[in-house]
Amino acid sequence: MASTRLVEAESRRPGGPETGGALALAEVMPRLVLESRRVSGTLAHGLHGRRRAGPGESFWQFRPFVPGEAAARVDWRRSARDDRLYVRERESEAAHNIWIWIDRSASMGFASSLAQTSKVERALVLGLALADTFVEGGERVGLLGLTRSSATRGIVERLAQALVNDRAGLTQDLPPAATPGRFDEVVLISDFLTPLDRVRGAVQTISARGTHGHLVLVADPVEETFPFTGQAVLHDPEGGLSLDIGEASAWGEAYRTRIAAHRDGLSEIARQRGWTLTIHRTDRPASEAALRLLTLVAAARGLG
């Protein structure tokens, strides 16, 4: 029979084991997952072509010279091959940021004997490993509402330190009301055991400017199967409430039905905004979710 435990607040802050685990996981991830999906070298050192004319270094196209433009814009070499004047346009490029938010609220401290680790430990390792891998791929990464984006090679240690100092995050079960840029990407890692209307509001706020995002739902296997029998008491780690439910097996079917409905609601929230939803169980390797996220981020940008 499965047993459960709840990780205390101090353990919901990333320490040496989580940071080391993130670095180890990042090292074994094939960094070519993103690299192989890049098109025509438009990504370099955090600069991403938007496939439109503008200031930048990558050639975009030649177009006919328009009377009234500055003569300095004429590409004389190209124009010499024809009887028309041409302007050499360059591809518009801008810093492209990836923002990560990791839920460290009380419910994330849950762990059962069927899991490899607690939800918060897995979320921390997954989030930090993704950050390291993205930076290695030339991305700028930051913690949503907490840090600036950066492409430093010490990104894991930098983000871990920010999380250690962010005690307010231990009581927040939803991301801050931030509004990233239109071309930014957001990865939210949580158990999302929050009323759907609140999750919907948070997603709407973040995506207000067209930001694309990904929901990563971290779940303990017990939370999906509810394998309990006999007398049981349910505890709410967020609100501190307890409920004696009597015979646990009688609650099983109703519980699983409600969880399925909640998941369907999350999927619909993501679909309405063009986001993705990934469900990751803590009895599975963290690399499975990480590789899926790398693929989804690349696909969202049309690089796949």
Side-chain angles (χ1 to χ4, degrees):
M1 181 177 176
S3 59
T4 64
R5 63 186 176 89
L6 191 64
V7 175
E8 297 297 329
E10 286 302 312
S11 297
R12 300 201 301 276
R13 304 166 68 190
E18 289 77 32
T19 300
L23 287 168
L25 175 57
E27 285 182 0
V28 301
M29 288 181 188
R31 286 166 171 75
L32 292 180
V33 171
L34 278 181
E35 292 296 331
S36 65
R37 291 173 172 81
R38 303 189 187 282
V39 179
S40 302
T42 56
L43 172 63
H45 304 297
L47 294 179
H48 300 254
R50 295 184 184 175
R51 308 307 294 171
R52 70 181 185 189
E57 297 181 357
S58 300
F59 169 72
W60 172 231
Q61 65 180 0
F62 287 114
R63 65 166 176 79
F65 175 77
V66 177
E69 290 187 272
R73 300 201 63 192
V74 174
D75 188 288
W76 297 107
R77 179 175 297 181
R78 173 64 182 87
S79 300
R81 302 204 309 264
D82 207 337
D83 58 357
R84 302 179 63 182
L85 297 179
Y86 288 91
V87 170
R88 181 187 183 93
E89 287 190 331
R90 293 174 177 176
E91 188 178 6
S92 177
E93 296 176 331
H96 196 126
N97 303 308
I98 296 180
W99 301 99
I100 297 174
W101 176 74
I102 303 171
D103 184 357
R104 294 173 292 129
S105 62
S107 67
M108 290 292 288
F110 182 82
S112 75
S113 57
L114 302 182
Q116 296 179 358
T117 184
S118 69
K119 292 187 293 182
V120 70
E121 290 168 352
R122 176 55 54 82
L124 288 167
V125 169
L126 180 58
L128 295 175
L130 284 171
D132 188 66
T133 305
F134 284 134
V135 165
E136 286 293 322
E139 309 286 356
R140 296 181 62 85
V141 180
L143 293 174
L144 187 66
L146 188 59
T147 72
R148 300 178 64 179
S149 62
S150 173
T152 177
R153 290 189 178 275
I155 192 68
V156 169
E157 291 81 4
R158 178 172 180 170
L159 298 188
Q161 186 59 49
L163 289 168
V164 168
N165 295 331
D166 178 40
R167 300 195 64 84
L170 299 175
T171 60
Q172 298 169 349
D173 60 356
L174 285 174
T179 52
R182 177 182 175 187
F183 297 99
D184 288 357
E185 207 85 14
V186 174
V187 178
L188 308 181
I189 307 174
S190 172
D191 56 12
F192 294 107
L193 293 178
T194 305
L196 291 175
D197 58 341
R198 294 186 60 218
V199 176
R200 183 179 295 105
V203 170
Q204 289 176 344
T205 297
I206 293 172
S207 60
R209 296 171 61 184
T211 305
H212 190 264
H214 309 272
L215 305 180
V216 184
L217 190 157
V218 179
D220 189 285
V222 158
E223 294 175 326
E224 296 194 321
T225 61
F226 200 80
F228 304 108
T229 59
Q231 297 295 309
V233 178
L234 299 182
H235 297 279
D236 177 8
E238 303 281 356
L241 301 176
S242 296
L243 175 65
D244 188 341
I245 63 173
E247 175 54 45
S249 59
W251 280 66
E253 189 61 33
Y255 171 86
R256 288 186 287 272
T257 298
R258 187 166 182 177
I259 282 291
H262 188 77
R263 299 277 178 83
D264 289 344
L266 290 172
S267 180
E268 180 62 16
I269 290 171
R271 186 195 66 79
Q272 289 175 349
R273 290 286 168 171
W275 287 29
T276 70
L277 172 65
T278 295
I279 298 176
H280 172 66
R281 287 178 34 156
T282 52
D283 59 345
R284 302 296 303 167
S287 57
E288 289 184 1
L291 291 175
R292 172 175 165 80
L293 259 296
L294 294 175
T295 303
L296 289 173
V297 169
R301 301 180 187 178
L303 299 176

